[in-house]
Amino acid sequence: MVFIDYQDGTPIYEQIVNQFKNRIVKGVLSADEKLPSVRGLAMELSINPNTIQRAYTELERQGYIYSVKGRGNFVSGKGNLREQKQMEILERLEALVTEAEEAGIESRVLTDYIQQKGKKGEKR
């Protein structure tokens, strides 16, 4: 089920993209699994089918899904999407660490902060 937050400033198609990406990376949606049809999901969410199509096009562009003409959209089986996502996050983290060092924040402070946030995530 996809949830749309109309109070969020993020465009609807981006919310859809992010939710599907998270499900794919977490393994909730497996390789070659069929996604809901554009029309069906649009009706379920009461939004324009073009919004769903835009989200699916973006997911395909990013390599998360592929389309088969006349059959629908499917989760990509290419590569390991989880590893790709982890590498993407680590690259962003590396840039943030560099930025923090340039701002005079000690690595110990960063490490403590990350450990503290990790402990909060474990409680969920």
Side-chain angles (χ1 to χ4, degrees):
M1 181 75 185
V2 176
F3 298 99
I4 304 300
D5 181 359
Y6 293 101
Q7 303 300 318
D8 188 349
T10 307
I12 293 172
Y13 87 95
E14 284 184 19
Q15 291 182 42
I16 295 167
V17 167
N18 292 335
Q19 288 181 45
F20 275 113
K21 282 171 60 173
N22 286 336
R23 287 187 184 140
I24 291 168
V25 168
K26 289 179 180 178
V28 174
L29 297 173
S30 56
D32 301 318
E33 185 173 338
K34 189 175 187 327
L35 297 181
S37 72
V38 170
R39 232 181 262 168
L41 188 54
M43 287 178 59
E44 181 180 320
L45 298 174
S46 299
I47 61 176
N48 191 312
N50 291 334
T51 303
I52 304 298
Q53 186 58 53
R54 185 173 182 188
Y56 281 4
T57 298
E58 182 61 22
L59 285 165
E60 187 170 9
R61 187 188 69 74
Q62 293 181 21
Y64 285 88
I65 68 171
Y66 64 94
S67 63
V68 177
K69 193 153 184 87
R71 300 212 46 231
N73 296 287
F74 300 84
V75 175
S76 177
K78 293 183 198 171
N80 189 330
L81 295 172
R82 173 175 268 170
E83 286 178 12
Q84 289 175 357
K85 183 66 173 178
Q86 287 174 349
M87 288 303 298
E88 179 185 312
I89 291 169
L90 290 174
E91 287 171 5
R92 291 194 331 243
L93 182 59
E94 185 176 344
L96 285 172
V97 167
T98 301
E99 185 178 342
E101 287 173 348
E102 290 171 355
I105 300 173
E106 296 178 16
S107 60
R108 177 187 48 78
V109 174
L110 294 174
T111 303
D112 291 346
Y113 182 81
I114 290 170
Q115 288 177 342
Q116 181 184 23
K117 289 296 181 182
K119 288 178 183 173
K120 285 183 181 178
E122 291 173 1
K123 292 178 185 177
R124 291 182 201 175

